[in-house]
Amino acid sequence: MSSQQRSLRREMGLGQVLLMGVAGTIAAEIFVLTGHVAGITGPASVLAMALIGLLCGAFALNYAELAVAYPVTGGALTYVRQAYGVGLLSFLVGSMDCLSSAFYASLSAVGFAYSLRIFLPWIPIVPTAILVVLVFTALQALGISKVARAQSALGAALLILLVIYVVRGFTSPVGFSLQTLMPDGRFWIGDTPWHDLKGLFRTMALVFNAYIGFEIIADDAEEIRDYRRNIPVGILVSLGIITLLYVSSTAVTLGTVPWTQLAGSEEALAIAAQRLMPRWGAPLIGVAGIIATLTSINTAMLAATREAFSLSRMALWPRVLSRLGRIRTPWVAALVIGAVVALMASIGLVDFLSYVSSSGYLFVVIFASLAMIRLRKTDGLERSFKAPLFPLTALIAVATCVLSITFTSGTALAFGAGLLAALSVMYYVREPVTRAFQQRAHASSLATGRLLVAVANPGTAQRLVQVAADLAENQHGTMVEVLTVHPELEGAPVERLRTRYGRRPSELQREVASALAERNVPWYTETAVAPRVSDGIVREVNTHRDVQLILMGWPGPVAPDQVLHHPLAQVLAEAHTDVAALLDRNANAFRRVLVPFGGGVHSRLAVRLALQLTAPYEGEVVVLRCFLEREGEPAERPGADEETTPLEDEFLLLQEELESALGQVPTNLHYKVVTEPGLLRGILTELQDGPFDLVVMGAAVARSLKTEFFGSIADAIADQIPTSVLLVRRYELQAMGWMRRQIKALTPVSGRHRALAGEEPDAGPAATPTEHRP
């Protein structure tokens, strides 16, 4: 087995990195918080914006060095983990980084609603914010390339609009003037220097996160091409651009309309633009605000999703969040983060959301800067980029963050403290809770249940009960029930028939009972009378509710028009439990079992049953994935800027799915990916390469019980391969099955390759299987 993990694609160039850093940073703050900043520091807001940019230069230098040294998804979490190990600190830093990005996305969503109100004054703020979050959640789940393209287009338009506003503000006769900026001739509005200094730090606490769009560049280092050059350039240049834009736009705004008229307003830029350009100024700022907040939602949700992915990959958050789709996007994490963003957006208070997200980021930057000092001394890595004046930049960053947090809003501080406390409790209780659930699951597996073996044919009955005994031996407390169903006779009372058949076991039941008596499993026989065989089986299952699995014999070739009325099809349709059908070809013991695996619920059941069947014989289970390679596109060669081949990536996806299904992959389970033009061809090739006693295969996701039992491919395989076959169907509620199929249909699939798991392509020429075991 390999400890290698699936990586994200390196597909962002310098242009996309710069636009992501710049456009993703110019967000709600500049449009909805400029008035709040003016109310705190007055004309000195211009200086405050410049000083914040200068101080953030220390953060940017630190992040540039760390991101180049550790070019993987995760950002601050990765650096703290490398410096201090996996513990409470790593958990808190990673969690706060992720949640702060989510809160920032919520702030931007609310800012979007305010910007849209310039054009549609009647729209409600909170529902509009939640709606835009849902749209970007779907976009995040679809993949980084689509997100990056959207970011590039929106970012370019945003920069053009803001440059128009700034240039017009400095060149218009009614634009910027020092007299308007300082209407009473005062630059500072405080009564004392301490009051003014306090205002500067309050401003920084409020708008700090407006400057750190560069952090997403570090967070997404794993997806950036030529990262040694593009990461430092992207971080430093984007910070310089946004600082210049913030300072100049603040100067234009407060130099066009006196700060006393804008203090506390969420529409300061729109008011100034209306004075500069009476006809189209407000619409221009409205469009710019819409674009800025959209790009900021995009950027922040992208960062939060990748941070959640990293936390999961490090086993700090639930494992499911690190699941990647077939185009290597963390779609599960994207959906969870989208839900968090929507919940926080429902608050609707821009100043509170800004303080909360800023204080969270400040907390993260403190420990990322301290980690840099430690790593520079301990990791021994050759750095292609180093922050100058080390360790001064790190110390400046720490001191600035501590002072800014001190001046954060009391409500936001209380919220942040409560969040840290809750996360700390989660960290310490997660392992005991996980163990408790595992023990409960183990106890549930030991609870008394039944394997129901439906016997009718003497030729298959003996083998069916032997398989049931193999399964029961590995599940303590499980009982085998051997059921025989007799048809009702016309004119004969049912109770008399039950008494007649139930008086003593039939000859067939006595034969299978003697086979079970030699095994160390509890068992009993049961006789039922019903109009149809399937009615007796289904009534037994749905009445007692403790039947874990129905085991039946495979009927052999059945005409499609006869399938619907066959007892097996009726049991598959009506029984509320798992069903398996055995086609026996004289295998005495299951020492080596092959499981074709597609990743669905039926395939997962097949793997678990295979492990149980081989347990009495200390046998081996081989999980096989057949990988369709399109003609002319070899799976063995990586694409541009890819670190794994498509075949290697499919192997890692298979590994993740097995770990998700089993928790931990047993030592007797091996898995492989081969390239074949079809599933049947792949199985036949595998059977030729090595002897197998049994093939266990899950039902197809989409199948019709009118013409097939377990799906056309599964049914055909059972009839054509020379080995014993066990076909299985996992029971699930119809609504759950429908929902799962819809989600699977929406999940993006690579356009180059497809894993075969129940849908056979058109027959083509034979391909040489390529086994892959990293």
Side-chain angles (χ1 to χ4, degrees), residues 579-581 593-598 602-607 609-610 624 679-680 683 694-700 710-718 721 724-730 756-760:
V579 179
V593 175
L594 178 67
V595 183
F597 188 79
H602 309 301
S603 296
R604 295 180 180 215
L605 174 62
V607 171
L609 291 179
L624 175 71
L679 183 58
L680 175 59
I683 293 174
L694 178 70
V695 174
V696 184
M697 186 170 178
F710 293 87
S712 59
I713 304 303
D715 290 3
I717 287 173
I721 66 175
S724 296
V725 181
L726 184 68
L727 299 177
V728 301
R729 185 271 283 157
R730 173 77 169 167
L756 302 175
E759 295 185 11
E760 186 82 12

Side-chain angles (χ1 to χ4, degrees), residues 116-131:
L116 191 59
R117 256 193 171 178
I118 294 175
F119 303 99
L120 305 172
W122 48 267
I123 63 168
I125 295 296
V126 170
T128 303
I130 292 175
L131 179 61

Side-chain angles (χ1 to χ4, degrees), residues 281-469:
L284 180 143
I285 290 300
V287 171
I290 290 172
I291 294 174
T293 50
L294 287 177
T295 56
S296 190
I297 296 168
N298 186 9
T299 302
M301 290 187 66
L302 181 63
T305 298
R306 269 43 180 185
E307 288 153 1
F309 170 78
S310 297
L311 284 162
S312 173
R313 196 159 63 174
M314 294 176 184
L316 295 174
W317 278 20
R319 175 80 181 185
V320 68
L321 295 177
S322 61
R323 289 288 303 274
L324 295 177
R326 292 196 179 278
I327 59 171
R328 287 185 280 176
T329 55
W331 63 276
V332 177
L335 296 179
V336 172
I337 292 301
V340 173
V341 174
L343 178 64
M344 289 299 293
S346 66
I347 296 175
L349 301 176
V350 293
D351 53 347
F352 173 78
L353 290 172
S354 185
Y355 274 124
V356 166
S357 56
S358 287
S359 59
Y361 279 132
L362 290 166
F363 174 86
V364 169
V365 170
I366 289 174
F367 291 101
S369 300
L370 293 175
M372 174 188 168
I373 297 175
R374 186 181 182 93
L375 290 171
R376 180 79 81 91
K377 297 177 181 178
T378 60
D379 63 12
L381 295 177
E382 289 293 331
R383 286 166 163 76
S384 58
F385 178 85
K386 290 185 178 182
L389 303 177
F390 175 85
L392 185 60
T393 55
L395 296 176
I396 290 174
V398 171
T400 302
C401 290
V402 171
L403 285 172
S404 298
I405 290 176
T406 303
F407 291 96
T408 295
S409 156
T411 305
L413 274 178
F415 179 88
L419 184 59
L420 283 172
L423 289 170
S424 299
V425 172
M426 287 174 55
Y427 176 79
Y428 284 110
V429 303
R430 64 190 177 97
E431 291 188 4
V433 169
T434 300
R435 284 197 300 270
F437 275 108
Q438 290 173 343
Q439 291 170 358
R440 183 172 181 178
H442 180 63
S444 177
S445 69
L446 298 180
T448 301
R450 287 184 295 164
L451 300 179
L452 190 152
V453 184
V455 296
N457 184 350
T460 61
Q462 288 276 2
R463 194 66 187 117
L464 285 173
V465 296
Q466 289 176 13
V467 170

Side-chain angles (χ1 to χ4, degrees), residues 642-663:
E642 295 181 22
E643 297 180 352
T644 59
T645 66
L647 192 59
E648 289 171 336
D649 187 61
E650 193 67 31
F651 180 91
L652 296 172
L653 173 60
L654 174 59
Q655 174 180 294
E656 288 179 1
E657 290 174 344
L658 290 172
E659 289 174 350
S660 174
L662 304 174

Side-chain angles (χ1 to χ4, degrees), residues 568-588:
L568 176 57
Q570 294 164 355
V571 169
L572 287 166
E574 300 173 16
H576 296 172
T577 191
D578 301 339
V579 179
L582 175 69
L583 172 57
D584 179 42
R585 291 195 169 98
N586 300 318
N588 295 321

Side-chain angles (χ1 to χ4, degrees), residues 397-623:
V398 171
T400 302
C401 290
V402 171
L403 285 172
S404 298
I405 290 176
T406 303
F407 291 96
T408 295
S409 156
T411 305
L413 274 178
F415 179 88
L419 184 59
L420 283 172
L423 289 170
S424 299
V425 172
M426 287 174 55
Y427 176 79
Y428 284 110
V429 303
R430 64 190 177 97
E431 291 188 4
V433 169
T434 300
R435 284 197 300 270
F437 275 108
Q438 290 173 343
Q439 291 170 358
R440 183 172 181 178
H442 180 63
S444 177
S445 69
L446 298 180
T448 301
R450 287 184 295 164
L451 300 179
L452 190 152
V453 184
V455 296
N457 184 350
T460 61
Q462 288 276 2
R463 194 66 187 117
L464 285 173
V465 296
Q466 289 176 13
V467 170
D470 287 341
L471 292 171
E473 277 189 0
N474 197 45
Q475 301 181 70
H476 300 289
T478 299
M479 180 176 293
V480 176
E481 174 187 351
V482 181
L483 176 67
T484 302
V485 181
H486 294 281
E488 295 179 0
L489 300 177
E490 186 176 353
V494 174
E495 289 301 324
R496 181 179 299 175
L497 290 173
R498 289 176 180 169
T499 301
R500 172 185 169 186
Y501 291 125
R503 186 172 299 163
R504 63 178 184 276
S506 65
E507 182 64 28
L508 178 58
Q509 288 177 324
R510 284 196 293 272
E511 289 179 5
V512 298
S514 119
L516 284 170
E518 300 175 1
R519 306 292 293 271
N520 186 29
V521 295
W523 59 273
Y524 71 98
T525 60
E526 184 66 57
T527 301
V529 177
R532 303 176 303 176
V533 171
S534 60
D535 291 337
I537 296 172
V538 171
R539 185 174 61 202
E540 183 72 12
V541 171
N542 295 346
T543 299
H544 297 288
R545 301 288 184 180
D546 64 343
V547 175
Q548 301 172 352
L549 178 71
I550 301 172
L551 187 58
M552 303 177 67
W554 177 252
V558 177
D561 59 347
Q562 299 297 316
V563 168
L564 180 62
H565 304 290
H566 194 279
L568 176 57
Q570 294 164 355
V571 169
L572 287 166
E574 300 173 16
H576 296 172
T577 191
D578 301 339
V579 179
L582 175 69
L583 172 57
D584 179 42
R585 291 195 169 98
N586 300 318
N588 295 321
F590 301 131
R591 292 186 172 84
R592 199 157 187 259
V593 175
L594 178 67
V595 183
F597 188 79
V601 293
H602 309 301
S603 296
R604 295 180 180 215
L605 174 62
V607 171
R608 288 193 290 270
L609 291 179
L611 289 168
Q612 293 175 19
L613 288 170
T614 55
Y617 310 102
E618 298 182 353
E620 175 192 17
V621 174
V622 177
V623 174

Side-chain angles (χ1 to χ4, degrees), residues 736-749:
M736 291 295 295
W738 179 87
M739 185 179 300
R740 183 174 52 80
R741 287 190 293 272
Q742 302 314 306
I743 292 174
K744 183 172 182 178
L746 292 173
T747 302
V749 179

